Amino acid sequence: MANGIPFQCLLFSTGPDIPGFLLQPFRKPKRIRTAFSPSQLLKLEHAFEKNHYVVGAERKQLAQSLSLTETQVKVWFQNRRTKHKRMQQEEEAKVQQNSSSNKNSHHVNKWKQETQNGSSSEHHDEMDRSYGSPYSRHMNSYDGCSSDEEDMVDCD
């Protein structure tokens, strides 16, 4: 500590002339993103179709044939497996969503079919009661009123 200032702060403090980032400890520059050519991508995708994992001599040979490093090939395959897994999960979610909506739509489709065929109101009353419609107990008589005293409905 010098003059009450920690030693580390003195090493990296910035003066009026030198920007602070120049005094920071050496750090590797950020890696530039690899831009694969269309032909490289085509060959990588073809290799992925055959096998989702490429290791050892096969990876080395593929990297050399594409003028890439083994690390670039390894990382491409890791990313491609992740993409493949995500796409599978999205597809499974879609299938589940469609199957659950089909289960629910069965009742609606049956109702639509019966109403389009002009089925009797007695059958609809029966369906209302079977599905627990809140209006089913008021639909027992012809004019929509119930004769039960509990209902207290004015049927004038």
Side-chain angles (χ1 to χ4, degrees):
M1 205 183 267
N3 296 333
I5 300 172
F7 182 71
Q8 294 88 350
C9 293
L10 291 173
L11 284 178
F12 299 111
S13 66
T14 59
D17 303 322
I18 304 170
F21 70 90
L22 292 176
L23 297 175
Q24 295 294 325
F26 175 74
R27 199 187 307 172
K28 280 185 179 180
K30 190 174 179 181
R31 185 186 62 78
I32 298 171
R33 187 174 187 264
T34 304
F36 296 102
S37 72
S39 64
Q40 287 173 325
L41 288 172
L42 190 65
K43 289 176 184 175
L44 287 165
E45 286 289 348
H46 187 68
F48 184 78
E49 286 175 16
K50 289 181 180 177
N51 188 2
H52 291 200
Y53 292 86
V54 60
V55 292
E58 189 181 354
R59 181 169 65 206
K60 186 174 186 173
Q61 190 273 327
L62 183 60
Q64 285 176 348
S65 72
L66 296 172
S67 301
L68 298 170
T69 65
E70 285 188 59
T71 303
Q72 287 172 317
V73 172
K74 179 187 82 166
V75 170
W76 186 90
F77 269 83
Q78 287 173 339
N79 292 339
R80 186 61 181 85
R81 284 191 298 271
T82 302
K83 178 181 178 181
H84 180 72
K85 183 179 177 182
R86 186 187 71 239
M87 290 169 59
Q88 275 186 324
Q89 289 172 341
E90 288 172 0
E91 187 62 34
E92 288 171 8
K94 238 184 230 182
V95 168
Q96 282 183 339
Q97 185 180 15
N98 287 341
S99 69
S100 67
S101 68
N102 287 343
K103 288 177 187 174
N104 296 332
S105 66
H106 168 74
H107 299 294
V108 173
N109 291 337
K110 187 174 181 180
W111 177 81
K112 283 181 181 177
Q113 182 182 14
E114 289 173 355
T115 55
Q116 287 172 353
N117 292 342
S119 59
S120 70
S121 63
E122 295 159 1
H123 181 71
H124 290 296
D125 290 343
E126 184 180 311
M127 283 182 61
D128 285 342
R129 281 191 292 282
S130 68
Y131 287 115
S133 169
Y135 306 107
S136 60
R137 61 186 196 156
H138 296 293
M139 299 301 287
N140 292 333
S141 65
Y142 177 75
D143 63 357
C145 293
S146 173
S147 60
D148 295 345
E149 291 179 8
E150 295 175 13
D151 292 335
M152 303 294 283
V153 176
D154 186 14
C155 299
D156 289 331

